[in-house]
Amino acid sequence: MDAAKKFGQKAIYLKTDVSKKSDMEACFNETLKKFGTIDIVINNAGILDEERYELLIDTNIKGVIYGTLLGFKHMGKHRKGKGGIVVNVASIVGVRQFAGFPVYTGTKHFVIGFSRAIGSPFYYDNTGVKILSILPGFTETVLIHKVPTLKEFEELKLNEYTNNKIATFAAQP
């Protein structure tokens, strides 16, 4: 017997551009259609590409805003929901600066500030939606060393700085 037959379908895959509100709304609507309710929203989509900083901002900031607000809309007691949890994934650079990735760092600072503000007792007391943030560190992979930095600073050789500092930065307490 396969897992879906034994346990029921617990998850679905929906290709979604988190930087587009209409895509996010369609994702939530399809989830509600399939499962009837939403208990938890995990905003984990993000990119690290300083050269395409507009897309980085749209993905890392707008995606978190859309996911959080749609979570409140569909789970909030103020809208006849039963409450729930929103998890916003930031990064360790949300509490530390990292010179090699200033735009990415700024977006992760945003995630933490936004989560702290919208996770205040005022919102929770009125909606029953709890906001959590997690801040994972860098994972040492080949990809992290190939991340483009801002072209405006090519002469500063930020790629060399970034490549040499990733492991040291990730290991800091």
Side-chain angles (χ1 to χ4, degrees):
M1 174 182 281
D2 72 357
K5 286 183 182 175
K6 184 175 180 180
F7 300 108
Q9 187 173 5
K10 304 288 184 184
I12 54 176
Y13 172 78
L14 301 169
K15 184 176 180 180
T16 305
D17 182 343
V18 300
S19 72
K20 294 181 180 164
K21 188 175 183 180
S22 60
D23 273 21
M24 290 291 282
E25 288 171 338
C27 178
F28 273 73
N29 290 336
E30 187 63 30
T31 301
L32 286 166
K33 184 173 148 186
K34 177 71 178 174
F35 299 108
T37 188
I38 296 175
D39 301 309
I40 186 167
V41 173
I42 301 173
N43 292 311
N44 187 41
I47 63 169
L48 172 52
D49 187 343
E50 297 287 310
E51 284 184 1
R52 298 184 309 160
Y53 59 85
E54 292 94 349
L55 180 60
L56 190 155
I57 291 166
D58 286 349
T59 302
N60 296 5
I61 292 178
K62 287 182 180 179
V64 169
I65 293 171
Y66 296 150
T68 301
L69 295 181
L70 286 165
F72 274 102
K73 177 180 177 181
H74 295 292
M75 297 185 297
K77 292 179 179 179
H78 68 300
R79 297 257 177 118
K80 299 187 173 128
K82 58 184 174 144
I85 298 171
V86 174
V87 179
N88 290 328
V89 180
S91 165
I92 192 65
V93 300
V95 291
R96 300 194 174 167
Q97 79 285 353
F98 193 58
F101 310 122
V103 180
Y104 178 81
T105 299
T107 65
K108 296 309 176 175
H109 277 262
F110 168 83
V111 171
I112 293 167
F114 175 73
S115 297
R116 290 181 70 193
I118 205 157
S120 71
F122 171 81
Y123 288 101
Y124 177 74
D125 293 345
N126 287 289
T127 66
V129 176
K130 183 173 284 204
I131 305 294
L132 304 173
S133 297
I134 59 174
L135 292 75
F138 281 113
T139 301
E140 185 69 28
T141 67
V142 175
L143 295 176
I144 197 75
H145 296 290
K146 295 184 179 188
V147 175
T149 57
L150 287 170
K151 285 185 177 184
E152 288 82 354
F153 298 108
E154 282 179 317
E155 68 276 7
L156 299 181
K157 303 200 183 303
L158 281 172
N159 283 321
E160 285 81 0
Y161 170 81
T162 299
N163 291 342
N164 293 326
K165 296 295 181 183
I166 291 283
T168 303
F169 174 79
Q172 292 176 353

